[in-house]
Amino acid sequence: MDTIAFIREILLIPLLEGTIVTVKLIIFSIPLGFLLGILIAVGRVYGKKIISTFCAIYTLFFRGSPLLVQLFILYYGLPSIGIYFSPFVAAVLGFILCSGAYHSEYIRGAIQSIKMGQMMAAEALGMSKFQAIASIILPQALRRAIPGCSNEVIYLIKYSSLAFIVTCVELTGAGKIIASRYFEYTLVFLVVGAIYLFIVSVVTKILSMLEKRLEIPGMG
Amino acid sequence: MQKENKVVLNVENIHKSYGKEKILKGVSFTIKKGETKVIIGPSGSGKSTLLRCINQLTIPDQGKIFLENDEVTHHKKEINRFRQKMGMVFQDFNLFDHLTALRNVEIGLIKVRKMDKLTAKKKAMEELKQVGLKKQADLFPAQLSGGQKQRVSIARALAMDPKVMLFDEPTSALDPELIGEVLEVIKKLALAGMTMVVVTHEMGFARSIANEIIFMEDGLIKDQGTPYKIFNNPKHERTRKFLNKITELYGRS
Amino acid sequence: MNENLAVIYQSFPFLINGVMITLGLVIGALGLGFVMGIPMAVGQVYGNRYTFGIISFYVWFFRGLPVLVLLFLFYFGLFSLLGFNLSAFAAAILVLGLRSAAYQSQIFRGSIQSLNEGQMLAARSIGMTKIEAIWHIILPQALRLSIPGWSNEYAILLKDSAVTYAIGVMEVLTRANFIATRTYRPMPIFLTCAVIFIVLTYGGVKLLDLLENKVKIPGYGEER
C-alpha cells in the first residue's frame, strides 16, 4: 500500500482521534496548572511560615522528580491506598500538579522583582494584603512572568505524550498502536511529530498575541 | 485662618530598631487640625522611619500613635481603616505602573472605600484637576515626567479624604526644574487647611509653609519651634550647624 | 509501615544499579549534546545564511517533537530503517544527545551573542584567524557564561531519562516499576524512586554551582 493511501485510510482517523484527546488533556491542564502556579507562588511569597514551607516543599518535589514518576504514583500507586483515577484524570491531575510547580517558580521570580514601593503604596491607601496582591502585585508580576510561563505551556503540550504511558490513548499513543500493528514506525511518527509541531506553532502564536494585548507602556 | 484646637495626630514615644541599630529612640509630638509640621535633619536621623511608623507601614517596637484620639498602634486588624484616613506621598512616587493616572487615583476609592465606578471616576477626575493633570488622566506612569508622577500620587492620596497627609521627602527624587510644580501643590494644600507632616530638605519651602519645624538627629527630636525661631535662633549648636550646611547647599530662598 | 520500609530497603541495591544506568544516560547525552552544540552555536553565530538555516531547522525539529515521539521514531523507526542495531541504552543516549544538542546549541549561542563585539574585533586585530579567535577568546568566556543554562539542561535530561522506560532501558523508573509490580507495594517504591531523582537533580545542580564558582569548564572529560 503506498504512503498516501496508508495515511488517508489507516492513519488519519485514529491520529485525529488521538489529537482530540491530546487537546482535551491540554485544555484542562494549561489554565489550571497556571492558576495553581499563581496560588503556590503567592503562598510562597506572602504566606505564613507553614504555608510558605509547604509551597517550597511542593515545588521541590514536583520540579525535582520526573513527570513520568509522578504519573506512575497517581495512576499505579494510589490504587494501593484506595484512590482510583481513570487514565485521563490521572494524566490531567499529574500535568496540573507538575506544571503548577514550574509556573510558580516563574511567577515567584516575577513577584519578587516588583519594587517594594508598590506594596507600600497599596497598603498606605488602606488596601488589605489580599487586595494589594490581587489588584497591584499580580497584574504586574503575571505580565513579567509571561515569557517563562509561555515556555512552560509549550513544554506541557509536548509532555502530554506521557499520558500514553499510563494508558491514556492520546496522539502519541494512537500513533504507537497503528505503527506497531503495521510496522510503519518511521512514517507514523513523522506524521505524529508534524502534528505536534503544528499544535505548538498555533499555541505559540496565540501566546504571542496574548502578550501583545497585555502590553503596558513602560513595563517589562 | 481659624485654627481649631482639636488634636489630629498624637505620636508618643516611638522606638524602632533594625537588628542592633536603633533608629528611633523615643520620638513624640502632636499636631492639631490645619497645622503643617515640617521635619528636617540629616540622613539617617530616622525621619522616614518615623513617618512610616505613623501609618504602621513600619511597626514601632515601642510607643503609641493616636489618630483623633483613636489608638492606631493597638489595632493590628483594623489598620486599614486608619490608613484610609492618612494619606502618604513617597519619595519614589510608587505609582501603580500598570494603571493609568486616572486608575491610580480611582483604585483606592473603588477597592478600599467601595465607591461605585461612576462616582469614583468623577471624584478621581476632580482630584487630578486640582493638581493640574486633567489632560494626563489616561497616560501611564511611564509616560509621565517625575513632577507629574508625584502630583498624581498626591491626588491619589487626597482622593481618600484623609485627616492627615504624610509627605516623605516628596521632591528629593525630582530633577530641579520639576520641584517647583510639586511644591506649589503642597503649598496650596497647606493654605487650604490640610493637616500635614512633611519631611523635606527644601528649607525655603519649609519656612514658608510650616507652623512648626522639628529638627531630628540620631533618632531623637533635638529642636522644635516656629520657622522664625529655628532659622534665626536655634536652641542647639547642632541645629545651627545643620541649617548652615543646608543653606550653603541649597541657598536661602 | 514496617513492611513498606522493608521493601524499600530490599530493593535499594537494585534501584541504585538503575542510578548507574540513569547517570550513564545523562552524562552520555550531555556529552553528545555538548560536542555537537558548540559547533552548532558557532555555526549559527559566525556561519553563513545556509549554515544558520540548516542548524535552525535541526533545532526546531529536535526541540519541537516530544521526547517520547523522538524515542519511538528513532528506536523503532529510523534505526531499524537505517540498519543500526543499537541496544535501547545506546539508542537512548543517541536520541537524548541529539535532542540535547539542539537545546545546548541555543544556550551557547545566547552566551556567545551576549559577549561584547569588541572581543572578536580585538582578537582579529592581533592577527588571529576567526577560528583561533573563537577557540581562544570567545568560547572560554561563552562557556563559563553558559553554566547556569547548562545546569538547567542537566536537570531536564535527568528527568527525561525516565521516559526511556518506554523503550525498555533498565534505568531507575523501569526498575521501580519492576519491583512494584512484583511486590504489590507501588507507593513506597515509586515515592523512593521520586526521592532518588530529586536527590540526583538537586545534588547535581549543587555540584554544578560549585563548579561555576571554580569557573571550570564542565564536560571536558566527556569525550565519547
Side-chain angles (χ1 to χ4, degrees), chain B residues 169-182:
Chain B
E169 296 201 38
T171 57
S172 297
L174 294 175
D175 289 332
E177 65 268 16
L178 299 171
I179 294 181
E181 63 191 67
V182 175

Side-chain angles (χ1 to χ4, degrees), chain A residues 119-140:
Chain A
M119 190 57 152
M120 270 207 282
E123 292 189 310
L125 283 176
M127 286 195 197
S128 67
K129 232 182 179 154
F130 177 78
Q131 286 176 317
I133 295 173
S135 314
I136 306 298
I137 303 292
L138 281 182
Q140 298 184 49

Side-chain angles (χ1 to χ4, degrees), chain B residues 183 187 200-210 213 227 231 246-247 250-253:
Chain B
L183 293 182
K187 197 165 190 169
T200 187
H201 289 303
E202 298 289 326
M203 290 305 143
F205 177 69
R207 284 175 89 158
S208 65
I209 63 161
I213 296 201
F231 279 91
I246 291 287
T247 321
Y250 293 93
R252 290 178 168 273
S253 39

Side-chain angles (χ1 to χ4, degrees), chain C residues 11-221:
Chain C
S11 43
F12 220 66
F14 187 57
L15 289 177
I16 294 300
N17 282 335
V19 170
M20 296 298 141
I21 304 285
T22 295
L23 286 178
L25 284 173
V26 173
I27 295 176
L30 271 179
L32 180 57
F34 183 79
V35 162
M36 285 179 63
I38 296 187
M40 282 169 64
V42 169
Q44 278 196 308
V45 179
Y46 297 109
N48 59 32
R49 249 204 340 245
Y50 299 107
T51 5
F52 184 83
I54 295 174
I55 298 173
S56 297
F57 177 76
Y58 177 98
V59 170
W60 175 74
F61 181 79
F62 277 93
R63 291 202 314 183
L65 261 54
V67 190
L68 187 57
V69 173
L70 281 171
L71 284 171
F72 284 159
L73 173 65
F74 279 86
Y75 185 64
F76 293 121
L78 285 172
F79 290 163
S80 309
L81 216 64
L82 298 170
F84 292 172
N85 200 0
L86 294 172
S87 68
F89 179 71
I93 293 184
L94 195 50
V95 174
L96 289 176
L98 289 172
R99 181 168 175 265
S100 184
Y103 283 98
Q104 289 192 46
S105 72
Q106 298 311 290
I107 296 174
F108 298 140
R109 176 174 151 222
S111 301
I112 294 176
Q113 287 178 323
S114 75
L115 289 178
N116 206 320
E117 245 191 65
Q119 296 291 301
M120 183 51 113
L121 291 174
R124 300 305 299 279
S125 72
I126 57 172
M128 285 193 186
T129 62
K130 219 171 188 183
I131 305 283
E132 285 174 339
I134 293 173
W135 183 258
H136 292 289
I137 308 297
I138 303 291
L139 284 183
Q141 301 181 48
L143 289 178
R144 280 171 175 80
L145 287 174
S146 305
I147 299 183
W150 211 78
S151 170
N152 198 36
E153 179 61 16
Y154 161 81
I156 294 177
L157 262 175
L158 185 54
K159 287 175 276 181
D160 281 348
S161 71
V163 183
T164 60
Y165 160 88
I167 59 173
V169 176
M170 289 299 282
E171 45 74 57
V172 179
L173 179 59
T174 315
R175 291 174 185 236
N177 191 49
F178 186 84
I179 299 171
T181 48
R182 276 158 188 73
T183 62
Y184 295 102
R185 289 192 179 279
M187 277 306 265
I189 295 295
F190 286 131
L191 282 172
T192 307
C193 176
V195 170
I196 292 179
F197 275 105
I198 293 175
V199 168
L200 286 174
T201 306
Y202 288 111
V205 168
K206 258 279 134 67
L207 277 172
L208 285 170
D209 278 345
L210 287 174
L211 223 61
E212 183 175 12
N213 289 334
K214 292 212 166 190
V215 192
K216 261 207 203 124
I217 299 178
Y220 239 33

